[in-house]
Amino acid sequence: MKTVQEWLKEVDEGKLVNTYFSLPSNAFSIAILEKRETPEVILAFVRRLKSLTPETPQKQRVFFASTSYRDGIELILCDWDDLLTKQRPERGDCVFSEFAHVMGYWVADTELTLKWIYDVLAGVLAQLSFFGYTQEEQTAGWKRVYQFARQEEAKLEKEGGIDALLQRSIPWEEMIERMDTELGRRPDPEARKLKDKIREAVVKYEMYCFEREVAAVRELLRSM
């Protein structure tokens, strides 16, 4: 297997940048919302990552692709040890990981991952650039999130805690009915049941695909 940085050094930069801008996940990027992203900016970001000296993280982690019903593939990141021992290892992301650490994360040599390698790498870039394109911007973003979480936690405690929040929450069925009313749709219980079945089928399908890819990655790791 190769690390993220090793792959970045091998792939075509132009194709990678084009793939980056085609990912639906980029709609959530703070940088895009602030209208700061351009192909030139992302190309410079890629080259900066390629020039970093990778640092060995405390836990080895592995990126790989899994089939997604809606988007073709989904980028998965799991701990190496969990992949060896768990059927459904916990999934993570690298939004809150240091750039130099992520450059040392592994990319699995599974058939699906290699087929979608540009999408996998573009997904890594999307997560890393969530707060910006430098370690300083990323660290500042972490601090903003932490401060916001502390403020929301204090607000929640002031309003009675999680139990009080749950008591005030709107039941799912009532929320759907409100949405139907606001959108001018007539309530259709049968159609809602069919939608629920589709959602359940998608969840089962994607979990099956995830477990299948985990098994493939596990076999790969055990052979190393």
Side-chain angles (χ1 to χ4, degrees):
M1 294 195 302
K2 300 172 186 172
T3 64
V4 171
Q5 189 181 67
E6 287 171 337
W7 270 112
L8 289 178
K9 289 180 177 179
E10 285 193 13
V11 297
D12 180 85
E13 291 179 340
K15 184 176 180 180
L16 179 58
V17 170
N18 289 338
T19 305
Y20 175 87
F21 281 100
S22 71
L23 290 182
S25 60
N26 281 351
F28 301 103
S29 170
I30 291 176
I32 277 188
L33 293 176
E34 294 177 351
K35 308 297 183 185
R36 294 192 292 122
E37 289 201 323
T38 65
E40 292 75 21
V41 168
I42 301 306
L43 180 58
F45 179 50
V46 170
R47 290 175 176 173
R48 190 178 306 119
L49 294 175
K50 289 162 64 174
S51 69
L52 289 176
T53 300
E55 295 181 10
T56 303
Q58 290 183 342
K59 286 187 176 182
Q60 293 193 69
R61 309 184 81 188
V62 184
F63 285 107
F64 60 96
S66 183
T67 304
S68 168
Y69 177 77
R70 297 177 181 85
D71 301 324
I73 65 125
E74 177 183 8
L75 176 64
I76 307 291
L77 176 63
C78 296
D79 288 348
W80 182 297
D81 291 342
D82 286 352
L83 286 164
L84 288 173
T85 59
K86 299 178 181 179
Q87 181 181 6
R88 297 180 182 177
E90 183 178 348
R91 311 182 200 192
D93 58 55
C94 60
V95 171
F96 292 92
S97 300
E98 294 185 14
F99 290 176
H101 284 173
V102 177
M103 291 302 98
Y105 289 174
W106 297 98
V107 179
D109 286 340
T110 58
E111 181 179 355
L112 186 67
T113 302
L114 295 178
K115 179 180 178 180
W116 293 88
I117 189 62
Y118 278 91
D119 292 74
V120 167
L121 295 174
V124 174
L125 295 178
Q127 292 182 10
L128 275 182
S129 63
F130 188 85
F131 292 113
Y133 312 105
T134 66
Q135 190 62 64
E136 291 74 21
E137 288 178 313
Q138 188 191 54
T139 302
W142 297 347
K143 291 180 180 179
R144 292 198 303 270
V145 170
Y146 176 74
Q147 291 170 354
F148 176 78
R150 291 294 299 273
Q151 291 170 359
E152 290 299 303
E153 182 180 356
K155 180 180 177 183
L156 181 61
E157 289 301 320
K158 186 177 180 181
E159 295 177 353
I162 188 65
D163 291 336
L165 177 64
L166 292 173
Q167 290 177 359
R168 296 194 301 270
S169 63
I170 302 172
W172 172 256
E173 292 295 326
E174 182 180 342
M175 184 172 67
I176 294 297
E177 290 178 3
R178 289 188 182 185
M179 290 175 59
D180 285 340
T181 300
E182 291 175 0
L183 295 172
R185 297 189 302 225
R186 295 175 57 187
D188 189 336
E190 188 61 32
R192 192 177 307 152
K193 289 180 182 178
L194 291 172
K195 278 188 174 182
D196 288 341
K197 288 183 179 179
I198 292 173
R199 293 191 193 97
E200 291 174 4
V202 169
V203 170
K204 289 181 180 179
Y205 169 73
E206 293 188 342
M207 181 54 67
Y208 167 79
C209 293
F210 172 65
E211 291 180 359
R212 181 186 62 194
E213 292 305 316
V214 167
V217 176
R218 181 182 301 117
E219 182 178 353
L220 176 67
L221 298 184
R222 286 176 175 172
S223 68
M224 295 181 63

